[in-house]
Short mmCIF file of all heavy atoms in Angstrom, two decimals:
data_model
loop_
_atom_site.label_atom_id
_atom_site.label_comp_id
_atom_site.label_asym_id
_atom_site.label_seq_id
_atom_site.Cartn_x
_atom_site.Cartn_y
_atom_site.Cartn_z
N SER A 3 30.30 -48.78 39.57
CA SER A 3 29.97 -48.15 38.28
C SER A 3 29.07 -49.04 37.48
O SER A 3 28.36 -48.59 36.58
CB SER A 3 31.24 -47.80 37.52
OG SER A 3 31.98 -49.00 37.13
N GLN A 4 29.14 -50.39 37.78
CA GLN A 4 28.32 -51.32 37.05
C GLN A 4 26.84 -51.05 37.29
O GLN A 4 25.97 -51.36 36.48
CB GLN A 4 28.66 -52.77 37.42
CG GLN A 4 30.01 -53.24 37.02
CD GLN A 4 30.10 -53.51 35.53
OE1 GLN A 4 29.08 -53.71 34.85
NE2 GLN A 4 31.30 -53.58 34.98
N PHE A 5 26.56 -50.52 38.50
CA PHE A 5 25.12 -50.30 38.86
C PHE A 5 24.49 -49.31 37.93
O PHE A 5 23.28 -49.35 37.67
CB PHE A 5 25.04 -49.78 40.30
CG PHE A 5 25.43 -50.77 41.34
CD1 PHE A 5 25.56 -50.40 42.64
CD2 PHE A 5 25.64 -52.13 41.03
CE1 PHE A 5 25.95 -51.32 43.65
CE2 PHE A 5 26.01 -53.03 41.99
CZ PHE A 5 26.16 -52.63 43.29
N ALA A 6 25.27 -48.37 37.46
CA ALA A 6 24.72 -47.26 36.66
C ALA A 6 24.68 -47.61 35.19
O ALA A 6 24.05 -46.92 34.38
CB ALA A 6 25.59 -46.02 36.84
N LYS A 7 25.31 -48.70 34.78
CA LYS A 7 25.37 -49.05 33.35
C LYS A 7 24.11 -49.81 32.90
O LYS A 7 23.54 -50.56 33.69
CB LYS A 7 26.60 -49.93 33.04
CG LYS A 7 27.89 -49.14 33.19
CD LYS A 7 29.12 -50.02 32.86
CE LYS A 7 30.40 -49.28 32.98
NZ LYS A 7 31.57 -50.13 32.64
N LYS A 8 23.71 -49.56 31.69
CA LYS A 8 22.58 -50.32 31.16
C LYS A 8 23.03 -51.03 29.86
O LYS A 8 23.96 -50.60 29.20
CB LYS A 8 21.45 -49.35 30.83
CG LYS A 8 20.82 -48.66 32.02
CD LYS A 8 19.69 -47.76 31.65
CE LYS A 8 19.08 -47.09 32.91
NZ LYS A 8 17.96 -46.20 32.52
N GLY A 9 22.40 -52.16 29.61
CA GLY A 9 22.78 -52.93 28.42
C GLY A 9 23.76 -53.99 28.76
O GLY A 9 23.72 -54.54 29.85
N VAL A 10 24.74 -54.28 27.88
CA VAL A 10 25.73 -55.31 28.09
C VAL A 10 26.67 -54.94 29.22
O VAL A 10 27.23 -53.88 29.20
CB VAL A 10 26.53 -55.56 26.81
CG1 VAL A 10 27.56 -56.63 27.02
CG2 VAL A 10 25.58 -56.01 25.66
N GLU A 11 26.82 -55.81 30.18
CA GLU A 11 27.71 -55.58 31.30
C GLU A 11 29.16 -55.94 30.90
O GLU A 11 29.38 -56.85 30.12
CB GLU A 11 27.30 -56.36 32.53
CG GLU A 11 25.91 -55.90 33.08
CD GLU A 11 25.69 -56.50 34.46
OE1 GLU A 11 26.60 -56.59 35.28
OE2 GLU A 11 24.56 -56.94 34.66
N VAL A 12 30.09 -55.17 31.45
CA VAL A 12 31.51 -55.42 31.18
C VAL A 12 32.15 -56.18 32.39
O VAL A 12 31.82 -55.82 33.56
CB VAL A 12 32.27 -54.10 30.91
CG1 VAL A 12 33.76 -54.36 30.73
CG2 VAL A 12 31.63 -53.42 29.75
N ASP A 13 32.99 -57.15 32.13
CA ASP A 13 33.64 -57.87 33.15
C ASP A 13 34.65 -56.99 33.87
O ASP A 13 35.69 -56.64 33.32
CB ASP A 13 34.30 -59.16 32.62
CG ASP A 13 34.98 -59.99 33.71
OD1 ASP A 13 34.71 -59.71 34.88
OD2 ASP A 13 35.71 -60.89 33.33
N HIS A 14 34.35 -56.57 35.10
CA HIS A 14 35.31 -55.66 35.81
C HIS A 14 36.62 -56.34 36.16
O HIS A 14 37.56 -55.68 36.58
CB HIS A 14 34.61 -55.06 37.05
CG HIS A 14 34.59 -55.87 38.23
ND1 HIS A 14 33.68 -56.91 38.31
CD2 HIS A 14 35.29 -55.92 39.39
CE1 HIS A 14 33.84 -57.54 39.51
NE2 HIS A 14 34.80 -56.93 40.14
N HIS A 15 36.69 -57.65 36.10
CA HIS A 15 37.93 -58.34 36.28
C HIS A 15 38.93 -58.09 35.20
O HIS A 15 40.07 -58.51 35.29
CB HIS A 15 37.69 -59.87 36.42
CG HIS A 15 37.23 -60.31 37.77
ND1 HIS A 15 37.28 -61.64 38.19
CD2 HIS A 15 36.72 -59.64 38.77
CE1 HIS A 15 36.77 -61.69 39.39
NE2 HIS A 15 36.38 -60.48 39.83
N ARG A 16 38.52 -57.43 34.17
CA ARG A 16 39.42 -57.02 33.08
C ARG A 16 39.80 -55.56 33.12
O ARG A 16 40.41 -55.05 32.19
CB ARG A 16 38.80 -57.35 31.71
CG ARG A 16 38.86 -58.88 31.43
CD ARG A 16 38.65 -59.23 29.99
NE ARG A 16 39.05 -60.58 29.72
CZ ARG A 16 40.30 -60.94 29.40
NH1 ARG A 16 41.25 -60.06 29.32
NH2 ARG A 16 40.58 -62.21 29.14
N SER A 17 39.46 -54.90 34.22
CA SER A 17 39.88 -53.51 34.40
C SER A 17 41.30 -53.45 34.94
O SER A 17 41.82 -54.44 35.46
CB SER A 17 38.94 -52.81 35.35
OG SER A 17 39.22 -53.11 36.70
N PRO A 18 41.97 -52.33 34.81
CA PRO A 18 43.37 -52.21 35.33
C PRO A 18 43.46 -52.52 36.82
O PRO A 18 44.52 -52.89 37.30
CB PRO A 18 43.74 -50.73 35.04
CG PRO A 18 42.88 -50.42 33.81
CD PRO A 18 41.62 -51.12 34.04
N PHE A 19 42.35 -52.33 37.55
CA PHE A 19 42.37 -52.65 38.99
C PHE A 19 42.55 -54.17 39.28
O PHE A 19 42.85 -54.57 40.40
CB PHE A 19 41.14 -52.16 39.66
CG PHE A 19 40.93 -50.64 39.63
CD1 PHE A 19 40.07 -50.06 38.78
CD2 PHE A 19 41.73 -49.85 40.45
CE1 PHE A 19 39.92 -48.68 38.75
CE2 PHE A 19 41.62 -48.44 40.42
CZ PHE A 19 40.66 -47.92 39.56
N HIS A 20 42.40 -54.96 38.27
CA HIS A 20 42.55 -56.40 38.42
C HIS A 20 43.76 -56.93 37.61
O HIS A 20 43.80 -58.06 37.18
CB HIS A 20 41.30 -57.14 37.97
CG HIS A 20 40.24 -57.12 39.07
ND1 HIS A 20 39.39 -56.09 39.23
CD2 HIS A 20 39.91 -58.09 39.98
CE1 HIS A 20 38.62 -56.35 40.24
NE2 HIS A 20 38.87 -57.58 40.73
N TYR A 21 44.77 -56.06 37.51
CA TYR A 21 46.07 -56.47 36.92
C TYR A 21 47.07 -56.58 38.03
O TYR A 21 47.73 -55.60 38.41
CB TYR A 21 46.57 -55.44 35.88
CG TYR A 21 45.71 -55.28 34.66
CD1 TYR A 21 45.90 -54.16 33.81
CD2 TYR A 21 44.76 -56.17 34.32
CE1 TYR A 21 45.15 -54.01 32.67
CE2 TYR A 21 43.96 -56.04 33.16
CZ TYR A 21 44.19 -54.94 32.33
OH TYR A 21 43.43 -54.79 31.20
N PRO A 22 47.23 -57.76 38.63
CA PRO A 22 48.09 -57.89 39.84
C PRO A 22 49.54 -57.39 39.66
O PRO A 22 50.08 -56.80 40.57
CB PRO A 22 48.09 -59.43 40.06
CG PRO A 22 46.81 -59.92 39.47
CD PRO A 22 46.63 -59.05 38.24
N ILE A 23 50.13 -57.63 38.47
CA ILE A 23 51.51 -57.17 38.23
C ILE A 23 51.62 -55.66 38.34
O ILE A 23 52.64 -55.15 38.68
CB ILE A 23 51.97 -57.69 36.85
CG1 ILE A 23 52.10 -59.24 36.89
CG2 ILE A 23 53.34 -57.11 36.48
CD1 ILE A 23 52.53 -59.85 35.57
N LEU A 24 50.51 -54.95 38.09
CA LEU A 24 50.45 -53.52 38.17
C LEU A 24 50.11 -53.03 39.58
O LEU A 24 50.78 -52.21 40.16
CB LEU A 24 49.45 -52.95 37.13
CG LEU A 24 49.16 -51.45 37.30
CD1 LEU A 24 50.42 -50.64 36.96
CD2 LEU A 24 47.99 -51.09 36.36
N THR A 25 49.05 -53.61 40.09
CA THR A 25 48.46 -53.10 41.29
C THR A 25 49.16 -53.50 42.62
O THR A 25 49.26 -52.73 43.54
CB THR A 25 47.01 -53.51 41.46
OG1 THR A 25 46.87 -54.93 41.32
CG2 THR A 25 46.15 -52.89 40.36
N VAL A 26 49.67 -54.76 42.69
CA VAL A 26 50.34 -55.17 43.93
C VAL A 26 51.61 -54.38 44.20
O VAL A 26 51.78 -53.84 45.30
CB VAL A 26 50.66 -56.70 43.90
CG1 VAL A 26 51.45 -57.08 45.12
CG2 VAL A 26 49.33 -57.47 43.86
N PRO A 27 52.57 -54.24 43.27
CA PRO A 27 53.73 -53.43 43.55
C PRO A 27 53.36 -51.92 43.85
O PRO A 27 53.96 -51.32 44.71
CB PRO A 27 54.58 -53.50 42.22
CG PRO A 27 54.11 -54.79 41.58
CD PRO A 27 52.65 -54.89 41.93
N THR A 28 52.37 -51.44 43.09
CA THR A 28 51.95 -50.06 43.33
C THR A 28 51.37 -49.85 44.73
O THR A 28 51.74 -48.97 45.50
CB THR A 28 50.88 -49.60 42.31
OG1 THR A 28 51.40 -49.73 40.95
CG2 THR A 28 50.42 -48.17 42.55
N GLY A 29 50.47 -50.82 45.13
CA GLY A 29 49.88 -50.77 46.45
C GLY A 29 50.89 -50.90 47.53
O GLY A 29 50.83 -50.14 48.54
N VAL A 30 51.85 -51.81 47.39
CA VAL A 30 52.89 -52.05 48.40
C VAL A 30 53.75 -50.82 48.52
O VAL A 30 54.10 -50.36 49.63
CB VAL A 30 53.68 -53.23 48.03
CG1 VAL A 30 54.92 -53.33 48.94
CG2 VAL A 30 52.87 -54.55 48.20
N THR A 31 54.12 -50.19 47.40
CA THR A 31 55.00 -49.02 47.42
C THR A 31 54.29 -47.82 48.09
O THR A 31 54.90 -47.14 48.97
CB THR A 31 55.35 -48.57 45.99
OG1 THR A 31 56.07 -49.64 45.37
CG2 THR A 31 56.24 -47.35 45.99
N VAL A 32 53.01 -47.60 47.76
CA VAL A 32 52.27 -46.49 48.40
C VAL A 32 52.10 -46.75 49.90
O VAL A 32 52.33 -45.80 50.74
CB VAL A 32 50.92 -46.36 47.73
CG1 VAL A 32 50.05 -45.34 48.51
CG2 VAL A 32 51.02 -45.88 46.30
N ALA A 33 51.80 -47.98 50.31
CA ALA A 33 51.62 -48.34 51.71
C ALA A 33 52.95 -48.15 52.46
O ALA A 33 52.95 -47.73 53.59
CB ALA A 33 51.10 -49.75 51.84
N LEU A 34 54.06 -48.52 51.82
CA LEU A 34 55.35 -48.41 52.46
C LEU A 34 55.71 -46.96 52.71
O LEU A 34 56.18 -46.57 53.80
CB LEU A 34 56.46 -49.04 51.56
CG LEU A 34 57.87 -48.97 52.02
CD1 LEU A 34 58.03 -49.77 53.32
CD2 LEU A 34 58.83 -49.47 51.00
N LEU A 35 55.35 -46.04 51.76
CA LEU A 35 55.69 -44.65 51.87
C LEU A 35 54.82 -43.99 52.97
O LEU A 35 55.25 -43.09 53.70
CB LEU A 35 55.49 -43.92 50.55
CG LEU A 35 56.42 -44.33 49.42
CD1 LEU A 35 56.08 -43.65 48.12
CD2 LEU A 35 57.90 -43.95 49.83
N ILE A 36 53.58 -44.50 53.08
CA ILE A 36 52.64 -43.90 54.04
C ILE A 36 52.81 -44.44 55.43
O ILE A 36 52.76 -43.76 56.45
CB ILE A 36 51.21 -44.03 53.55
CG1 ILE A 36 50.99 -43.23 52.25
CG2 ILE A 36 50.23 -43.54 54.60
CD1 ILE A 36 49.63 -43.36 51.63
N GLY A 37 52.81 -45.81 55.50
CA GLY A 37 52.75 -46.46 56.83
C GLY A 37 53.91 -47.35 57.19
O GLY A 37 53.92 -47.98 58.25
N GLY A 38 54.92 -47.39 56.35
CA GLY A 38 56.12 -48.23 56.66
C GLY A 38 55.94 -49.68 56.34
O GLY A 38 54.99 -50.06 55.69
N ILE A 39 56.88 -50.50 56.80
CA ILE A 39 56.88 -51.89 56.49
C ILE A 39 55.65 -52.65 56.91
O ILE A 39 55.14 -53.48 56.11
CB ILE A 39 58.18 -52.58 57.17
CG1 ILE A 39 59.43 -52.07 56.46
CG2 ILE A 39 58.07 -54.07 57.03
CD1 ILE A 39 60.65 -52.58 57.10
N PRO A 40 55.06 -52.40 58.12
CA PRO A 40 53.86 -53.15 58.46
C PRO A 40 52.74 -52.98 57.43
O PRO A 40 52.07 -53.94 57.04
CB PRO A 40 53.47 -52.54 59.85
CG PRO A 40 54.74 -52.07 60.43
CD PRO A 40 55.54 -51.57 59.24
N TRP A 41 52.53 -51.78 57.02
CA TRP A 41 51.42 -51.52 56.07
C TRP A 41 51.75 -51.99 54.66
O TRP A 41 50.86 -52.38 53.91
CB TRP A 41 51.02 -50.06 56.05
CG TRP A 41 50.14 -49.70 57.20
CD1 TRP A 41 50.45 -49.04 58.34
CD2 TRP A 41 48.76 -50.13 57.34
NE1 TRP A 41 49.37 -49.01 59.22
CE2 TRP A 41 48.30 -49.67 58.61
CE3 TRP A 41 47.91 -50.80 56.56
CZ2 TRP A 41 47.01 -49.88 59.07
CZ3 TRP A 41 46.61 -51.09 56.98
CH2 TRP A 41 46.21 -50.58 58.25
#
């Protein structure tokens, strides 16, 4: 999405996708439900 923006760029490291406390448990839970313990 940064490619399409003009003017001042926003640090994407401050987006919710870069909140480890949020994304890691979410990602692990979804992977567990879909693919089991290995995933």
Side-chain angles (χ1 to χ4, degrees):
S3 65
Q4 293 286 342
F5 293 170
K7 292 181 179 179
K8 296 181 180 180
V10 178
E11 294 191 43
V12 178
D13 181 11
H14 78 285
H15 279 197
R16 285 197 164 273
S17 79
F19 295 105
H20 279 81
Y21 294 166
I23 294 178
L24 170 67
T25 56
V26 174
T28 301
V30 169
T31 300
V32 172
L34 179 64
L35 293 175
I36 296 176
I39 293 177
W41 279 105

